[in-house]
Amino acid sequence: MTTKTIAPSQPRIAQDFTQAVGSVPIVRLNRVSQQCQQHHLYLKLESCNPGGSIKEKNAVCLVNQAEADGLLQPDGTIVESSSGNFGIALAMVGAVRGYQVKIVIDAKTSATMRRILSAHGAELIEVPLTAADRNGSMQVARMEKAQELYSNIPGAWYPCQHLNPHNPDAHEIYTAREIESAFAGAPDVIVIGVSTAGQIAGISRYFKQRYPSTKIIGVDVAGSAVFGTPPSPYKMTGLGLSFVPPNFDPSLLDVAYAVSDRMAFSYCHQIAQLEGLLLGASTGAILAGGLAYAQANSHRDLSILMLNPDRGDRYLETVYDRDWLKANQIELFSKQQLEVAVRQLTPVKLTKTKS
């Protein structure tokens, strides 16, 4: 394996924030795990996008396409169901281009996410907890409400990130090529959170065609239905669905891991305290998946790139709040306990045909 020193890119002037998405650093991890001494472990800090998340790429790409296709007209209305990041990204685009934005949230949406959405001028429509499914998921109920709003608002456009077949395009256009440029080719391994499967589909398609030896690792939260495992309640936001999104193609993954809330949140605290990075909840799960793969392949040196979807200040009232963790009966692992737990994290068996 060869490594490359990544030179800082020259700053450029963007005409608005939509032209600045994707200009984010990649940093090496050095202290969070023993595996840092064996492998070259990197985080791509999508938390450094202008609004703090990777979902800005999806929002910009999908809005551009909707405008080009005539689906979104001047003074139109954007309607979406979102637990946070994609809604914030759409609100940002709406602010800069003059669209009204209505975001369907639920009773579990954090106060921080609500404040950020409102600060960008989005109108929040809340779905009550009584609409939750038996595992407490609100996703289907939120989507149904968003569809209702779209159907009844003249000039509305509903991107529907969970079902939109163009959702992966942003990550072929932006993320995959950014990785290729940074590594002057490809790392040995890329670790990606499932979410709506847009990131996995776009990045995997790009690298499978051009760098077939690069392994694509998918990570989800334990309790999510995407990998075909039995659904159960979980506290994670940013990962996890109560259904399998149409953009998810298991044949695009080489390995998949389902990570518990406890392990994911523990790694969030470890990254903050040992690497100086305050990152979002799903990043802890993605790190756990990358470290599990590194541990299982300790016989050789690997360059492993993990995608950090968002920043951690959005989770100060949850993941980084000891009282919230205690109230939800989540006891954090110590660093030593995490080293043991990640060695015991085994891949999920996937059916390699898309249904």
Side-chain angles (χ1 to χ4, degrees):
M1 178 198 72
T2 59
T3 59
K4 173 181 178 289
T5 300
I6 303 170
S9 59
Q10 292 298 315
R12 62 185 180 86
I13 296 175
Q15 297 306 306
D16 60 40
F17 92 87
T18 67
Q19 295 182 3
V21 297
S23 300
V24 306
I26 294 174
V27 300
R28 182 164 180 169
L29 300 179
N30 299 290
R31 302 184 62 223
V32 73
S33 168
Q34 296 173 0
Q35 296 302 316
C36 296
Q37 312 310 314
Q38 173 68 29
H39 302 285
H40 302 276
L41 303 178
Y42 302 98
L43 272 180
K44 189 173 192 299
L45 295 179
E46 298 291 343
S47 54
C48 292
N49 278 299
S53 88
I54 196 169
K55 289 298 183 78
E56 289 152 56
K57 296 176 179 178
N58 301 78
V60 170
C61 186
L62 291 175
V63 168
N64 286 347
Q65 182 167 2
E67 291 173 340
D69 293 343
L71 301 175
L72 188 54
Q73 301 288 339
D75 300 318
T77 300
I78 301 172
V79 176
E80 183 57 283
S81 160
S82 173
S83 62
N85 286 327
F86 188 55
I88 291 168
L90 288 172
M92 292 170 65
V93 178
V96 81
R97 297 193 184 174
Y99 299 122
Q100 297 182 59
V101 179
K102 299 179 185 292
I103 303 298
V104 180
I105 62 170
D106 60 61
K108 296 189 291 184
T109 303
S110 73
T112 298
M113 292 294 192
R114 293 167 189 256
R115 292 187 188 114
I116 297 172
L117 285 162
S118 296
H120 285 297
E123 178 185 348
L124 307 184
I125 296 92
E126 184 169 325
V127 175
L129 278 175
T130 53
D133 66 20
R134 62 182 182 180
N135 290 308
S137 174
M138 303 293 294
Q139 287 144 350
V140 172
R142 287 202 321 258
M143 291 166 66
E144 289 175 347
K145 183 63 177 180
Q147 180 64 45
E148 176 190 327
L149 292 169
Y150 162 69
S151 299
N152 289 288
I153 298 173
W157 172 65
Y158 175 28
C160 192
Q161 62 168 330
H162 299 89
L163 306 181
N164 195 319
H166 298 293
N167 203 22
D169 295 350
H171 301 290
E172 284 195 87
I173 294 170
Y174 292 110
T175 316
R177 296 175 188 181
E178 294 157 13
I179 295 168
E180 182 182 44
S181 176
F183 284 86
D188 297 317
V189 181
I190 304 174
V191 188
I192 310 166
V194 174
S195 185
T196 61
Q199 296 169 45
I200 280 178
I203 296 169
S204 185
R205 285 193 314 227
Y206 190 91
F207 280 90
K208 291 296 183 187
Q209 291 173 3
R210 294 165 177 80
Y211 306 95
S213 63
T214 293
K215 302 297 183 183
I216 304 296
I217 312 302
V219 178
D220 204 1
V221 62
S224 170
V226 178
F227 289 158
T229 54
S232 61
Y234 52 86
K235 297 298 180 182
M236 176 74 68
T237 57
L239 288 181
L241 288 174
S242 59
F243 58 92
V244 180
N247 285 319
F248 179 65
D249 181 353
S251 69
L252 294 176
L253 292 181
D254 295 290
V255 179
Y257 292 100
V259 179
S260 69
D261 285 330
R262 184 186 184 192
M263 180 178 286
F265 299 166
S266 297
Y267 270 122
C268 286
H269 284 254
Q270 291 296 311
I271 299 169
Q273 295 168 19
L274 297 173
E275 302 287 353
L277 298 169
L278 189 70
L279 305 175
S282 61
T283 303
I286 292 161
L287 177 60
L291 292 174
Y293 187 83
Q295 175 66 41
N297 291 272
S298 58
H299 57 284
R300 57 196 180 108
D301 294 341
L302 296 172
S303 59
I304 301 176
L305 177 67
M306 295 163 280
L307 267 63
N308 149 237
D310 65 352
R311 63 192 188 209
D313 53 2
R314 296 174 178 178
Y315 304 89
L316 293 176
E317 297 167 327
T318 55
V319 175
Y320 294 102
D321 185 327
R322 298 280 177 167
D323 292 334
W324 182 88
L325 292 170
K326 183 177 181 180
N328 286 279
Q329 300 181 319
I330 299 173
E331 181 182 357
L332 298 178
F333 288 113
S334 68
K335 184 181 180 183
Q336 291 74 24
Q337 290 172 325
L338 277 172
E339 295 286 354
V340 174
V342 82
R343 286 197 295 269
Q344 298 172 345
L345 185 60
T346 56
V348 175
K349 293 182 179 180
L350 295 174
T351 301
K352 291 291 185 173
T353 55
K354 186 174 181 180
S355 57

